[in-house]
Amino acid sequence: MTAHTTPVGAGTGPGARRRLIRELLLVVGLFAVYKCGRTLATGRTDEAFRNAARVWDAERALHLPGEGLVQRALLHSDALVHTANTYYAAVHFPATVLFLVWLYLRRPAHYLWTRRVLAVLTGAALVLHLAFPLAPPRLLGAADLIDTGQVYGPTVYGAAPAADTVANQFAAMPSLHFGWALMLALGMIAATSSRWRALWLLHPLVTLLVIVGTANHYWLDSLVAALLLGAALLLVPRPVGRSLIARRSVPGQRAVPVPVPVPVPAGAAAVEPMEPVGAVR
């Protein structure tokens, strides 16, 4: 007999479709609230630049490596810096969506855990964006960095930050690029059993180098994102085990033969079945 492997929440019935629509509306709604909330921090340009100067000075006081160290490595090749800009612009959101879709279909328990963690992380980030507007290093004169998106392309930001109606450029801390990428890696490590699953950590590592090298974030933006993610992980209970494992057999476990009763003719003495060799009383 084979194990049932249909994931919870999957299927094609009306109930499954309603759950899918509900989840889509919930995720899209949360993202819309976050995007709208970020716009509340616009118009605080002077405060954003004062905070940027504080963050820059704090990094130097902590002896963190300058963001320019990563950017100079990228600028050795036009193709490399263009790839970094593309990674920043095109990988962040689609990768997160694909990650959530895969979890929803294959690991429902981990999907609920991940969705809740991301919601807590994103909500905390929104509060910090409103309380602490921050200009990114590409806009800070003291950093002496290049806006690689504007110079080499592609970019997701307007040339005039104060007039950008698509994105709030003064919401650098924390970096949700890094926070979401780190949760993606941790989620895949928790939900899978491959011996190579630790390689998922390359995604947040590459993301960290990209957001710093393109001068869109400070090192501290990623550190704060990691701390907020850690707090979210402590608040949201993690599911036990993996939600979908096809257990057709348990490795290393051998089947124990079960004695079959033998019909006894009428009038004959009953004979007890022989015990399997090695049986323990």
Side-chain angles (χ1 to χ4, degrees), residues 179-264:
W180 287 12
L182 184 57
M183 185 58 209
L184 187 157
L186 296 178
M188 291 303 295
I189 290 172
T192 59
S193 57
S194 169
R195 69 176 64 182
W196 304 105
R197 63 187 184 277
L199 291 177
W200 284 104
L201 291 172
L202 290 175
H203 176 50
L205 176 60
V206 172
T207 299
L208 174 61
L209 296 177
V210 163
I211 63 177
V212 171
T214 56
N216 283 296
H217 286 283
Y218 305 90
W219 294 111
L220 285 179
D221 296 340
S222 298
L223 177 59
V224 171
L227 292 175
L228 291 178
L229 177 59
L233 290 170
L234 290 176
L235 290 173
V236 180
R238 176 182 167 182
V240 179
R242 290 178 292 278
S243 59
L244 177 60
I245 299 290
R247 296 184 180 272
R248 299 182 182 273
S249 62
V250 180
Q253 183 175 358
R254 302 174 64 179
V256 178
V258 178
V260 179
V262 179
V264 180

Side-chain angles (χ1 to χ4, degrees), residues 20 31 35 39-41 43-44 52 55 63 78 94 104 126 169-170 185 193 201 221 230 281:
L20 177 59
F31 182 73
K35 292 291 288 185
T39 61
L40 298 176
R44 300 165 67 183
V55 169
H63 302 289
D78 288 356
Y104 179 83
L126 177 58
Q169 298 192 39
F170 299 133
S193 57
L201 291 172
D221 296 340
R281 287 184 177 272

Side-chain angles (χ1 to χ4, degrees), residues 75-261:
L75 294 177
H76 280 300
S77 166
D78 288 356
L80 186 59
V81 69
H82 183 79
T83 300
N85 289 332
T86 303
Y87 196 94
Y88 181 87
V91 173
H92 168 59
F93 190 69
T96 306
V97 170
L98 290 174
F99 166 59
L100 289 174
V101 168
W102 186 86
L103 286 180
Y104 179 83
L105 295 175
R106 303 298 301 276
R107 305 286 191 270
H110 285 81
Y111 165 78
L112 291 174
W113 170 62
T114 301
R115 189 245 286 160
R116 290 165 182 163
V117 170
L118 288 177
V120 172
L121 170 62
T122 305
L126 177 58
V127 172
L128 193 52
H129 289 161
L130 298 177
F132 192 77
L134 179 66
R138 56 187 166 80
L139 300 178
L140 183 64
D144 194 25
L145 296 172
I146 296 173
D147 186 342
T148 60
Q150 294 294 335
V151 175
Y152 296 91
T155 182
V156 295
Y157 300 119
D164 193 344
T165 59
V166 177
N168 176 16
Q169 298 192 39
F170 299 133
M173 180 181 288
S175 168
L176 284 183
H177 267 74
F178 180 74
W180 287 12
L182 184 57
M183 185 58 209
L184 187 157
L186 296 178
M188 291 303 295
I189 290 172
T192 59
S193 57
S194 169
R195 69 176 64 182
W196 304 105
R197 63 187 184 277
L199 291 177
W200 284 104
L201 291 172
L202 290 175
H203 176 50
L205 176 60
V206 172
T207 299
L208 174 61
L209 296 177
V210 163
I211 63 177
V212 171
T214 56
N216 283 296
H217 286 283
Y218 305 90
W219 294 111
L220 285 179
D221 296 340
S222 298
L223 177 59
V224 171
L227 292 175
L228 291 178
L229 177 59
L233 290 170
L234 290 176
L235 290 173
V236 180
R238 176 182 167 182
V240 179
R242 290 178 292 278
S243 59
L244 177 60
I245 299 290
R247 296 184 180 272
R248 299 182 182 273
S249 62
V250 180
Q253 183 175 358
R254 302 174 64 179
V256 178
V258 178
V260 179

